Amino acid sequence: MDVINEIFATNKVLYQCACGHCKPLTHIYFCRYCLKMRCKDCVYHEVDSQYCQHCLEYIPTIDAKLKKNKCASCFQCPNCMHTLTPRTFLASVPSETDPNGMTTRKAQFLLCSYCKWSSKDVGIPDQFIGSGGWPEIEAPNRKRVEGLVDHYRVIAQRERMEKEKKRINPRPGHAIHLLDKYGISASLSAKLTESLRTKAYSGRISSNYLSASKSLTDIKLEPSLATDDVEPLDVDTFYNKDLIESEISSIEQRLMQVEMQPNTVSQFYPISKMLYVKRSLRCKECDHNIIKPEYNSSSIKFKIQLSAFYDIPEVKIASTPKLIPHKESMVELTFKNPYQYGMHVCLQPLKDEEMDESITGKIILPKAEFILECKDDTLEPELDSTQKTRYNDDPQLITFRRGNKIGLRLTVIPEIDSGRCRVCFRLRHDFVNSVVQNKSTGGSEPQVSWISHKIYVDLGPVIESKESIA
Amino acid sequence: MTDKHSVILEFGHRYTKCGFVQELAPRAIIRSVVASSHGKEVELASLSGSQLDQAFKTIIQTIYFRYLGVNYKERKVILIETLFTQNNVRQSLINVLYQHFEVPSLLIVPHHLMTLVPYMVSTGIVLDIGWKEAMAVPVIEGITLVNSVKYTPLGGKAINERIHDELIDRKAILRKNGVEKVYEESDRFDDFVLENIKVKTCFIAPFERGQLMLEHKAGLKEAPDNTPKDVYFHVDQNNTLLIPGGLRESAGEILFELYGEEETVATLILEVLLSCPIDYRKTLASNLIITGGTSMLPGFKHRLKMELLFLVKKIEKYSNNIYIDKFMFHPPLCKENYIAWLGASIFGSTDVVAMRAISRDTYLKTKGCFVDWSEWRPQPLNKI
Ligand SMILES: [Zn+2]
Ligand SMILES: [Zn+2]
Ligand SMILES: [Zn+2]
Ligand SMILES: [Zn+2]
């Protein structure tokens, strides 16, 4: 029970990031260069590398772009989205050397081991090994779209040239004139439309758009032709035939193949697996990497990982007291140093301007500074008592000391009659920077700085007094 | 920088489309939702204020890292928005894109004009039937007649509601954990299931059939016989629903049922024609462009054409004013649910982006005067 509580209790202690967001320590980064907390909302997210999650192949960015972020060799089941397995078998084919004889060649089809969909089911021909993989389906409108791109490019270039000419000798309203070719702003401003409309009615605007396209002699592209010959519903299929739901594709399946959007399962085609992105994070202030993964796609390690969890003391609630409104209670907080150097820690109250309405209780903080030992996995935890004597700890304040962890007994006073009691304080400590070396000492000494963090602790609901319930 | 294709984003009420210019289709069409802290899905459209900002941050990050695999600081962005994009939604997107993601430049393009691009036409009516509403926008010589735009809350959501209602009315049989019972309000399936019932089993009935259903609804006639076949629909492992055949043809009728002054998808077009200059009515009616996922239901376009021909002759309001006997449709160049996106992909591959897009620097410099994007003129650019 306690373990589970522990895991889910992470939201009880929040650290304020430099951008103002409050997050649990595990969600916060600590930039060792500018010595500030960062969270996912205040760092740059960048594509570090791309890889296929299935074959774990690392794909260089340029190839990934060419392949539209898809893996060339792995496919997904168009029916259930599981990965398809290639099945190899020996197919007999006419021999190349002997016109009458047969020979065998290795061929493949794709099979879903989960739902049993197979490329054979839907009539996709088997592929011979070494024939260069599965062919992609060509979009039927490709040529037309390419023609359209060329067509509009010429128009746009012309517009740009006109615009450049006019820039030398601007006349009033020219911006509007430029925009009406595509009607962009016209569609958005009612006032503007009104004036253009009057012009259109009186027939004074001959369409720039059309006249421009007419003179495009080098690109022979006809506008679309409208027709009143619209395909009627296939009445026989819809009214007289049974419909087997499993033969019709779902909306999700259709959208997996955006270009074709097959209506029936029989039109399915294997879907190339999408590549995964490994992200790197970069500090917005100093541009240093905060997270940088390793290139090896199977590795989950990081080259750089500046998680606050490794650098900043972790605060936890050890025991929650009964919280009675406006009465003093004792709460025990623990502080743990995850860092390789020891720390001098002190707790400071907030300045008046730092207070906010989410703070609903007062916490009385010790004036004294205390020491948090460094994290050292190689040492057996010393006995409480020996450590305690070494640091000359005040037993009234410090409840225990074990290695890099310390327990503190503090007084809180809830300042509300009902609801949750939240207290806030600043944790100030020194930080020995093992990454950034001190310039003044010629880089031989690590730089030591004092930093402080605003920490919110949610102690839980107060016990409402009997009078207020009644 | 030039070979770095701009990113195109379109945040619809139900689906978000993302991809790159000069490509034939979006890289992905995903639901316009984000996960809440409780793991539940929250629709972007239901949010506002800082929650909306946070949701946009989340979904845009997912788009860039999961579907596009590019860095946001390196790509210009083209944003498609409809005429009715709310100001706070646009403002939130602009702020998030420029300030949080620091995109180098942004160009906002209107959905209906992008829809025209693949057709190379500059006069026509764009009928967009999406999730929340149907909207008809007339464009004459490239100019949008904003005051003649008509819309009505008919779309995918309305059909979903109708499916739910009809499952109750028609006493559909639900087999729940092996026990058969009648579907009732408390069994209500979420929009995922209702949407798949629609996509997999429903269609738009032919015009004559629609008339029969309407007469039955008005109590004039018996329910038409020869209904489509019932369909077993597997909701999940434990639930199987027997969808009444009648529902399959009648759910989509909501788009065409005419009660009094209410709009149908077909009257939207006629109302647009009525409010447009007489000289242009014929050209507009001969250039209908249908877009939006809901228009992909089988039989939709044919039914729309038949409804238009019927209404324009039989309803006085229209027959006295619109003398048109032919309605012509442009055949779609791609699936109807991403035509505007394709248009932006073509449009965005030209110099236009460089000329019209507003760079981040300009945005930061002029931030104070961004009352309304549409009021903003690119003067600072011209002065340089
Ligand atoms: Zn932050
Ligand atoms: Zn692969
Ligand atoms: Zn499968
Ligand atoms: Zn930094």
Side-chain angles (χ1 to χ4, degrees):
Chain A
M1 186 64 197
D2 268 335
V3 180
I4 293 169
N5 265 338
E6 184 86 290
I7 294 165
F8 287 100
T10 46
N11 285 347
K12 288 190 176 164
V13 180
L14 299 176
Y15 290 67
Q16 190 176 54
C17 170
C19 74
H21 279 135
C22 293
K23 304 246 159 107
L25 190 62
T26 44
H27 288 48
I28 284 197
Y29 310 100
F30 178 67
C31 178
R32 287 186 187 172
Y33 299 89
C34 42
L35 300 175
K36 278 183 185 150
M37 300 269 212
R38 300 280 171 220
C39 68
K40 72 174 179 38
D41 292 320
C42 63
V43 293
Y44 293 124
H45 296 240
E46 289 170 347
V47 177
D48 192 77
S49 58
Q50 281 161 289
Y51 70 102
C52 171
Q53 202 198 24
H54 184 63
C55 64
L56 294 179
E57 189 159 351
Y58 159 75
I59 321 268
T61 322
I62 188 85
D63 290 357
K65 291 215 164 89
L66 284 172
K67 290 256 156 44
K68 295 192 172 180
N69 288 341
K70 306 236 164 88
C71 178
S73 39
C74 304
F75 294 93
Q76 240 176 317
C77 173
N79 191 40
C80 73
M81 319 300 165
H82 269 76
T83 306
L84 292 172
T85 334
R87 287 292 171 95
T88 311
F89 64 101
L90 284 174
S92 62
V93 289
S95 166
E96 278 170 28
T97 45
D98 174 7
N100 300 317
M102 296 294 276
T103 178
T104 52
R105 244 182 113 180
K106 272 189 184 171
Q108 274 188 339
F109 67 97
L110 295 168
L111 176 75
C112 175
S113 53
Y114 189 76
C115 76
K116 303 299 172 207
W117 181 89
S118 131
S119 58
K120 274 181 182 302
D121 295 355
V122 292
I124 297 168
D126 302 327
Q127 295 296 305
F128 293 112
I129 291 194
S131 63
W134 298 82
E136 282 189 37
I137 14 175
E138 169 88 350
N141 58 4
R142 173 178 292 280
K143 271 196 91 169
R144 171 85 182 169
V145 173
E146 280 166 2
L148 285 166
V149 166
D150 292 340
H151 168 86
Y152 283 98
R153 275 197 178 149
V154 172
I155 298 181
Q157 262 164 19
R158 193 156 305 170
E159 188 192 0
R160 181 170 216 168
M161 269 150 58
E162 276 173 37
K163 186 183 171 175
E164 263 148 28
K165 263 188 256 160
K166 272 164 199 154
R167 193 178 286 169
I168 307 160
N169 189 12
R171 56 187 172 81
H174 70 284
I176 296 170
H177 174 77
L178 287 169
L179 290 169
D180 40 80
K181 217 167 283 176
Y182 293 94
I184 282 194
S185 72
S187 68
L188 297 170
S189 156
K191 220 165 83 188
L192 187 62
T193 319
E194 203 51 51
S195 71
L196 288 168
R197 242 169 103 185
T198 15
K199 279 194 219 166
Y201 290 170
S202 60
R204 269 190 284 133
I205 287 191
S206 66
S207 167
N208 295 310
Y209 169 85
L210 276 187
S211 55
S213 62
K214 269 179 202 152
S215 62
L216 291 168
T217 43
D218 44 340
I219 300 161
K220 288 199 181 62
L221 205 64
E222 294 297 321
S224 159
L225 269 183
T227 168
D228 73 336
D229 183 18
V230 185
E231 204 188 330
L233 183 80
D234 179 357
V235 171
D236 187 47
T237 302
F238 284 99
Y239 279 90
N240 304 332
K241 299 235 167 81
D242 281 320
L243 185 136
I244 317 286
E245 185 230 332
S246 58
E247 290 174 359
I248 311 291
S249 55
S250 69
I251 185 76
E252 294 80 13
Q253 289 167 337
R254 291 178 199 192
L255 295 180
M256 284 297 288
Q257 291 171 271
V258 171
E259 284 179 30
M260 308 311 282
Q261 298 184 36
N263 287 347
T264 61
V265 171
S266 60
Q267 296 165 285
F268 278 174
Y269 208 84
I271 298 164
S272 295
K273 256 203 174 297
M274 200 153 352
L275 297 180
Y276 272 61
V277 168
K278 275 198 181 185
R279 280 184 211 198
S280 55
L281 304 183
R282 191 182 288 282
C283 176
K284 275 196 180 181
E285 203 165 302
C286 68
D287 257 358
H288 282 96
N289 268 122
I290 284 176
I291 295 280
K292 181 115 181 116
E294 282 190 3
Y295 272 120
N296 184 353
S297 49
S298 57
S299 166
I300 50 157
K301 287 192 186 135
F302 295 92
K303 278 196 283 201
I304 303 169
Q305 187 180 30
L306 302 183
S307 173
F309 197 66
Y310 298 125
D311 291 356
I312 305 300
E314 182 188 14
V315 178
K316 276 185 179 172
I317 304 167
S319 65
T320 335
K322 280 205 167 80
L323 296 163
I324 297 150
H326 313 290
K327 294 254 164 64
E328 286 188 3
S329 309
M330 297 303 268
V331 54
E332 189 186 2
L333 299 179
T334 65
F335 294 77
K336 196 168 122 193
N337 179 7
Y339 197 51
Q340 60 198 358
Y341 291 95
M343 286 176 183
H344 299 80
V345 178
C346 69
L347 305 180
Q348 296 177 324
L350 297 185
K351 297 192 189 88
D352 284 348
E353 66 268 22
E354 285 182 306
M355 298 297 282
D356 62 66
E357 65 273 25
S358 74
I359 302 163
T360 54
K362 197 170 151 185
I363 184 160
I364 295 162
L365 301 162
K367 296 240 161 35
E369 189 178 284
F370 54 92
I371 290 169
L372 272 181
E373 275 200 28
C374 66
K375 179 187 158 74
D376 190 345
D377 293 330
T378 59
L379 286 183
E380 285 282 313
E382 284 178 80
L383 284 173
D384 257 23
S385 51
T386 43
Q387 264 195 334
K388 263 190 178 169
T389 17
R390 174 139 47 99
Y391 290 106
N392 199 12
D393 290 336
D394 173 4
Q396 283 304 306
L397 172 68
I398 291 175
T399 53
F400 74 90
R401 182 184 274 282
R402 211 171 293 124
N404 56 342
K405 199 170 169 185
I406 191 171
L408 251 60
R409 191 184 291 117
L410 300 165
T411 306
V412 293
I413 307 157
E415 290 175 322
I416 39 163
D417 295 314
S418 63
R420 301 186 75 88
C421 175
R422 279 184 216 93
V423 296
C424 185
F425 57 85
R426 279 194 163 276
L427 176 103
R428 199 172 119 85
H429 63 92
D430 57 347
F431 182 78
V432 181
N433 206 327
S434 60
V435 181
V436 185
Q437 306 284 301
N438 194 339
K439 286 198 188 88
S440 60
T441 56
S444 57
E445 295 274 306
Q447 184 185 306
V448 182
S449 337
W450 280 86
I451 48 179
S452 92
H453 321 288
K454 194 171 170 187
I455 297 175
Y456 289 82
V457 183
D458 184 340
L459 296 166
V462 296
I463 296 165
E464 290 179 41
S465 65
K466 284 197 180 92
E467 300 97 271
S468 69
I469 293 167
Chain B
M1 203 65 183
T2 42
D3 65 324
K4 289 194 168 163
H5 288 172
S6 309
V7 165
I8 310 172
L9 303 173
E10 181 187 346
F11 296 93
H13 280 121
R14 180 112 177 128
Y15 289 104
T16 291
K17 289 133 223 171
C18 60
F20 298 101
V21 298
Q22 234 181 302
E23 289 190 3
L24 298 173
R27 286 285 177 89
I29 301 182
I30 57 171
R31 291 277 318 281
S32 301
V33 292
V34 287
S36 78
S37 50
H38 314 291
K40 270 196 145 186
E41 283 193 340
V42 183
E43 291 187 9
L44 287 180
S46 68
L47 300 171
S48 61
S50 63
Q51 282 188 320
L52 184 64
D53 291 348
Q54 196 53 47
F56 275 134
K57 284 179 193 173
T58 310
I59 195 165
I60 292 171
Q61 198 159 84
T62 310
I63 287 171
Y64 274 74
F65 285 101
R66 188 117 174 253
Y67 300 103
L68 305 182
V70 294
N71 290 327
Y72 23 69
K73 280 173 84 177
E74 292 165 5
R75 304 283 173 148
K76 294 172 176 166
V77 175
I78 298 173
L79 186 65
I80 304 172
E81 62 165 39
T82 70
L83 281 176
F84 293 132
T85 299
Q86 286 166 328
N87 218 32
N88 70 317
V89 173
R90 171 197 279 179
Q91 210 54 52
S92 169
L93 260 173
I94 291 175
N95 284 342
V96 166
L97 285 169
Y98 277 129
Q99 297 200 315
H100 184 72
F101 291 112
E102 303 188 10
V103 300
S105 82
L106 177 63
L107 175 66
I108 298 187
V109 293
H111 180 275
H112 64 282
L113 289 177
M114 290 303 111
T115 306
L116 292 178
V117 167
Y119 300 95
M120 276 174 69
V121 296
S122 54
T123 299
I125 297 175
V126 177
L127 176 67
D128 176 22
I129 311 175
W131 172 248
K132 232 181 90 184
E133 61 206 354
M135 169 159 58
V137 185
V139 180
I140 294 176
E141 310 284 7
I143 295 160
T144 311
L145 303 194
V146 178
N147 297 340
S148 303
V149 173
K150 305 286 171 198
Y151 59 97
T152 181
L154 294 174
K157 189 169 175 54
I159 300 179
N160 278 17
E161 291 303 321
R162 171 83 165 243
I163 291 174
H164 170 70
D165 293 345
E166 286 206 18
L167 283 172
I168 294 171
D169 292 348
R170 293 173 185 269
K171 301 194 168 38
I173 302 295
L174 174 66
R175 196 185 303 140
K176 212 172 184 172
N177 302 314
V179 183
E180 283 197 357
K181 61 169 296 229
V182 173
Y183 180 91
E184 52 194 352
E185 183 63 44
S186 58
D187 295 312
R188 193 192 166 97
F189 293 123
D190 59 25
D191 273 319
F192 282 106
V193 177
L194 295 173
E195 190 161 353
N196 270 322
I197 293 177
K198 171 176 68 193
V199 161
K200 287 185 159 193
T201 75
C202 295
F203 58 91
I204 304 291
F207 177 74
E208 301 75 24
R209 191 79 188 168
Q211 291 293 302
L212 290 179
M213 283 189 266
L214 202 61
E215 281 164 10
H216 166 63
K217 254 200 152 171
L220 302 171
K221 271 191 184 163
E222 291 284 290
D225 48 10
N226 303 322
T227 50
K229 303 271 191 289
D230 295 355
V231 176
Y232 280 105
F233 185 92
H234 300 273
V235 179
D236 53 41
Q237 283 179 327
N238 307 321
N239 293 286
T240 303
L241 191 63
L242 183 61
I243 303 199
L247 179 153
R248 293 177 55 202
E249 62 171 343
S250 76
E253 287 302 301
I254 191 165
L255 302 178
F256 296 105
E257 282 165 0
L258 187 59
Y259 300 111
E261 290 295 292
E262 278 177 47
E263 300 279 9
T264 75
V265 167
T267 61
L268 277 188
I269 290 182
L270 297 174
E271 291 292 334
V272 164
L273 288 176
L274 272 186
S275 67
C276 281
I278 294 178
D279 299 348
Y280 279 107
R281 287 183 189 167
K282 200 174 154 58
T283 322
L284 287 170
S286 308
N287 286 284
L288 302 179
I289 288 156
I290 314 297
T291 175
T294 303
S295 73
M296 293 167 82
L297 279 167
F300 176 82
K301 243 185 247 181
H302 192 263
R303 173 67 180 274
L304 177 63
K305 183 184 101 176
M306 300 306 284
E307 290 280 338
L308 287 168
L309 289 172
F310 173 80
L311 293 169
V312 85
K313 273 196 209 102
K314 298 288 186 243
I315 306 278
E316 241 174 61
K317 182 176 166 195
Y318 305 127
S319 60
N320 291 346
N321 296 295
I322 308 174
Y323 308 101
I324 287 169
D325 52 6
K326 230 181 188 182
F327 290 91
M328 310 235 277
F329 297 82
H330 282 279
L333 194 60
C334 63
K335 294 289 174 189
E336 284 88 342
N337 54 356
Y338 66 88
I339 298 177
W341 190 94
L342 179 66
S345 167
I346 295 165
F347 187 77
S349 60
T350 68
D351 282 356
V352 160
V353 184
M355 283 158 60
R356 297 254 179 79
I358 289 152
S359 72
R360 183 165 184 268
D361 289 347
T362 314
Y363 168 78
L364 293 175
K365 260 185 252 160
T366 59
K367 205 181 161 261
C369 18
F370 267 82
V371 184
D372 179 3
W373 187 275
S374 60
E375 296 298 319
W376 193 82
R377 303 269 177 274
Q379 271 106 359
L381 283 179
N382 289 338
K383 272 184 199 153
I384 297 163

